[in-house]
């Protein structure tokens, strides 16, 4: 791909479209804009960073850059894990970090309309007291809602409520040409032609620039409790999941191994309620009242014990819930803080193949002499496997981790899984996507990209190129 460099005249044009204090270049660009949370995938410094305030400003920038053939990388909070928001070909990073307004909460239609830069944790706080609830719950609460939409983020509650895509009702997007489109709205269903809005969910900013979102809300659950079930046997632990799903209606079913719990303990400086077993299931139940949860709890307890759990530990107070879920939420940072570098595999496999994949990850760990940590969303088959460099020399590490990842993604393909369950493809996993899907599907996707973005300026080098 050939693009033009940003010139002094371009910078003046950007300053006239936005304002000089929202245009950054040269030494004024913070190095954070050169990466996401995975520095393993390289640093790519943009030539300019622009902070937009509105769809109209985004439109002006895209129209100009499209005519000048300057690449534009959309960026929210930069919390991604696959190099999706970095300027691989230089050009402009167009940031939505200032676009954080909750425009409307509509209690009658049970919707919210917001700008894409609003952080997930800020959105949750703004909904407090409304009686309404936004179910998607990705682990990184400092991510933007717009970033969640563009990666179709999942999270711990996906097993019951679905992923981000299931809650997007409307979008205001800007095409590469600068044209603004309004897609969907507050209607809860449609059979009106191709669903472009749903196509854009998970497109990682390669097809259009997200400027506003309307999402579905639901009634907030009034009560919840959590159960921690330790298992001595990994396979028995994972094989209990289909029984849990068929016998109860859990909000979350999380899988974790003992080692990653120990990492989290060290990172947080807090003790986990139990470390007696090799593997654990963490299950959350939500309901209209505490009384309504009692029969579900009884059923869940019977299922887990009959499936081979050593015990069923109840967390029904805020303190007990916090001790468990804080540890679960800290897994990524705990692993990251304990190693020099790491690489991640975010596969999703059929639920009955989870144990096979985790055992395969243990086998490749031994094969290449690389420490591996695993946890994930057992309820929907989405596993997070982290390979840790530790004290391996850099050259040997690159060879080992490359071979290890090849083996893991090949295993996922053999098990009829997919290379990403929720973190996306970015540029780091693009080669694995082609190997997984094959040339025909990739060429169809490239045709879609061409239709939306003929000059290829939107987030080039990501997903399909």
């Amino acid at each position: 791909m050939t693009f033009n460099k940003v010139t002094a005249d371009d910078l003046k044009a950007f300053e006239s479209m936005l304002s000089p204090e929202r245009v950054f270049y040269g030494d004024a660009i913070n190095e954070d804009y050169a990466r996401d949370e995975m520095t393993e995938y390289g640093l790519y410094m943009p030539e300019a960073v622009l902070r937009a305030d509105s769809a109209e400003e985004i439109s002006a920038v895209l129209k100009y850059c499209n005519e000048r053939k300057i690449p534009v990388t959309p960026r929210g909070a930069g919390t991604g894990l696959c190099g999706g928001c970095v300027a691989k070909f230089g050009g402009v990073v167009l940031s939505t970090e200032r676009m954080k307004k909750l425009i409307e909460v509509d209690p009658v239609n049970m919707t919210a309309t917001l700008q894409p830069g609003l952080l997930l944790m800020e959105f949750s706080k703004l909904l407090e007291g409304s009686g309404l609830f936004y179910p998607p719950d990705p682990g990184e609460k400092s991510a933007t809602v717009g970033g969640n939409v563009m990666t179709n983020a999942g999270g711990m509650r996906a097993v019951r409520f679905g992923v981000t895509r299931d809650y997007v009702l409307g979008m205001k997007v800007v095409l590469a040409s600068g044209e603004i489109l309004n897609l969907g709205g507050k209607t809860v269903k449609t059979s009106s032609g191709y669903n472009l809005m749903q196509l854009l969910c998970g497109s990682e900013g390669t097809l259009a620039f997200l400027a506003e979102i309307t999402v579905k809300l639901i009634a907030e659950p009034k009560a919840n409790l959590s159960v921690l079930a330790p298992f001595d046997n990994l396979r028995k632990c994972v094989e209990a999941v289909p029984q849990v799903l068929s016998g109860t209606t859990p909000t979350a079913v999380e899988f974790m191994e003992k080692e990653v719990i120990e990492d989290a303990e060290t990172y947080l400086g807090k003790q986990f309620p139990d470390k007696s077993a090799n593997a654990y299931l963490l299950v959350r139940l939500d309901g209209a009242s505490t009384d309504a949860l009692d029969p579900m709890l009884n059923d869940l307890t019977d299922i887990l014990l009959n499936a081979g759990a050593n015990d069923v530990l109840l967390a029904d107070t805020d303190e007990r819930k916090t001790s468990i879920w804080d540890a679960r939420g800290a897994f990524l940072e705990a692993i990251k803080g304990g190693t020099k570098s790491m690489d991640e595999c975010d596969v999703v496999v059929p639920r009955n193949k989870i144990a096979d994949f985790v055992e395969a990850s243990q086998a490749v760990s031994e094969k290449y002499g690389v420490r591996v940590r695993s946890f994930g969303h057992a309820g929907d088959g989405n596993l997070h496997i982290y390979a840790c460099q530790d004290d391996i020399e850099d050259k040997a590490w690159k060879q080992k981790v490359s071979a290890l990842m090849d083996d893991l993604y090949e295993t996922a393909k053999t098990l009829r899984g997919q290379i990403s369950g929720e973190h996306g493809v970015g540029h780091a996993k693009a080669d694995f996507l082609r190997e997984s899907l094959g040339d025909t599907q990739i060429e169809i996707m490239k045709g879609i990209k061409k239709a939306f973005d003929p000059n290829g300026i939107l987030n080039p080098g990501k997903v399909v190129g």
Side-chain angles (χ1 to χ4, degrees):
M1 272 180 266
T2 302
F3 298 107
N4 288 320
K5 295 290 186 182
V6 175
T7 66
D9 287 342
D10 296 330
L11 293 171
K12 288 178 183 176
F14 296 144
E15 288 177 344
S16 70
M17 294 172 205
L18 283 69
S19 60
E21 65 270 16
R22 291 188 280 122
V23 177
F24 302 85
Y25 53 92
D27 292 341
I29 299 176
N30 190 306
E31 191 177 286
D32 285 348
Y33 288 102
R35 60 175 180 80
D36 63 6
E37 286 298 309
M38 291 293 286
T39 54
E40 175 73 22
Y41 304 144
L43 298 176
Y44 299 89
M45 188 62 75
E47 296 159 61
V49 172
L50 314 181
R51 294 176 180 169
D53 274 349
S54 67
E56 289 70 27
E57 288 184 347
I58 294 168
S59 171
V61 170
L62 290 185
K63 184 175 188 296
Y64 181 89
C65 289
N66 192 51
E67 291 171 352
R68 285 272 296 115
K69 292 188 172 53
I70 296 170
V72 178
T73 302
R75 186 179 175 97
T79 60
L81 296 169
C82 58
C85 65
V86 298
K88 192 174 180 186
F89 291 89
V92 168
V93 161
L94 185 53
S95 170
T96 61
E97 62 196 281
R98 290 170 55 94
M99 298 177 65
K100 304 176 74 165
K101 293 176 185 173
L102 176 57
I103 297 166
E104 178 196 54
V105 174
D106 182 342
V108 177
N109 286 305
M110 298 179 71
T111 64
T113 300
L114 58 144
Q115 291 184 314
L118 186 64
L119 302 186
L120 186 62
M121 60 185 178
E122 294 172 337
F123 187 28
S124 298
K125 280 188 184 304
L126 290 170
L127 290 176
E128 286 178 3
S130 69
L132 297 174
F133 169 63
Y134 179 64
D137 185 39
E140 182 52 79
K141 303 301 187 290
S142 62
T144 64
V145 179
N148 290 166
V149 172
M150 285 292 101
T151 56
N152 188 33
M156 292 177 246
R157 294 195 286 246
V159 63
R160 178 173 179 183
F161 294 118
V163 297
T164 300
R165 173 180 278 121
D166 300 312
Y167 291 85
V168 178
L169 295 175
M171 289 181 177
K172 179 181 287 186
V173 299
V174 186
L175 299 180
S177 64
E179 183 176 355
I180 298 174
L181 295 183
N182 289 292
L183 306 175
K186 294 184 180 182
T187 56
V188 296
K189 65 178 185 178
T190 180
S191 295
S192 310
Y194 299 147
N195 197 329
L196 300 180
M197 178 181 64
Q198 289 294 294
L199 175 63
L200 293 179
C201 290
S203 65
E204 302 185 40
T206 60
L207 302 181
F209 199 112
L210 181 62
E212 189 176 292
I213 321 151
T214 298
V215 297
K216 175 174 66 175
L217 305 175
I218 66 172
E220 185 176 16
K222 302 299 182 186
N224 70 81
L225 56 83
S226 296
V227 164
L228 183 69
F231 288 78
D232 286 333
N233 183 279
L234 165 68
R235 186 165 284 276
K236 281 187 177 180
C237 177
V238 176
E239 287 177 348
V241 173
Q243 299 171 58
V244 170
L245 294 174
S246 62
T248 63
T249 310
T251 298
V253 184
E254 295 293 296
F255 157 76
M256 59 199 79
E257 293 186 281
K258 180 179 181 178
E259 291 81 5
V260 76
I261 290 172
E262 293 173 338
D263 291 341
E265 281 188 325
T266 301
Y267 177 75
L268 293 172
K270 297 178 181 178
Q271 293 295 304
F272 196 71
D274 184 277
K275 285 193 301 180
S276 63
N278 293 319
Y280 295 81
L281 284 185
L282 175 56
V283 184
R284 172 173 165 148
L285 300 174
D286 286 347
S289 67
T290 302
D291 289 343
L293 290 175
D294 286 341
M296 285 196 284
L297 175 60
N298 292 335
D299 290 344
L300 177 61
T301 300
D302 289 343
I303 289 168
L304 290 169
L305 291 175
N306 289 332
N310 300 343
D311 199 354
V312 175
L313 307 174
L314 175 63
D316 57 353
T317 67
D318 289 342
E319 183 180 0
R320 290 174 181 171
K321 293 172 193 173
T322 298
S323 69
I324 295 174
W325 288 103
D326 278 0
R328 171 60 186 86
F331 284 170
L332 173 56
E333 290 303 319
I335 295 168
K336 188 176 180 181
T339 184
K340 182 165 63 173
S341 184
M342 67 181 188
D343 200 353
E344 186 220 25
C345 181
D346 162 51
V347 298
V348 59
V349 298
R351 291 175 181 134
N352 66 335
K353 300 297 183 183
I354 296 173
D356 293 337
F357 192 85
V358 174
E359 288 174 351
S361 73
Q362 294 172 336
V364 297
S365 173
E366 294 176 9
K367 178 180 177 180
Y368 295 107
V370 173
R371 181 169 64 94
V372 165
R373 291 289 184 260
S374 61
F375 62 93
H377 313 308
D380 54 27
N382 184 196
L383 295 165
H384 304 315
I385 311 294
Y386 290 89
C388 303
Q389 181 176 0
D390 297 337
D391 58 357
I392 301 172
E393 186 270 328
D394 287 350
K395 184 177 180 181
W397 162 248
K398 290 187 182 301
Q399 294 171 342
K400 285 174 178 284
V401 76
S402 177
L404 183 148
M405 287 293 161
D406 284 344
D407 283 4
L408 286 179
Y409 285 117
E410 183 59 34
T411 299
K413 184 178 180 180
T414 301
L415 297 176
R416 301 187 69 82
Q418 298 289 334
I419 70 159
S420 175
E422 59 186 12
H423 293 166
V425 176
H427 73 83
K429 307 300 180 182
D431 288 343
F432 295 119
L433 184 70
R434 177 176 285 280
E435 291 168 14
S436 175
L437 298 183
D439 290 344
T440 300
Q441 288 192 60
I442 292 295
E443 289 307 311
I444 291 171
M445 291 181 184
K446 284 186 173 182
I448 294 169
K449 165 73 170 171
K450 187 76 172 176
F452 275 89
D453 178 20
N455 291 327
I457 67 157
L458 277 174
N459 214 6
K462 317 297 169 52
V463 189
V464 295

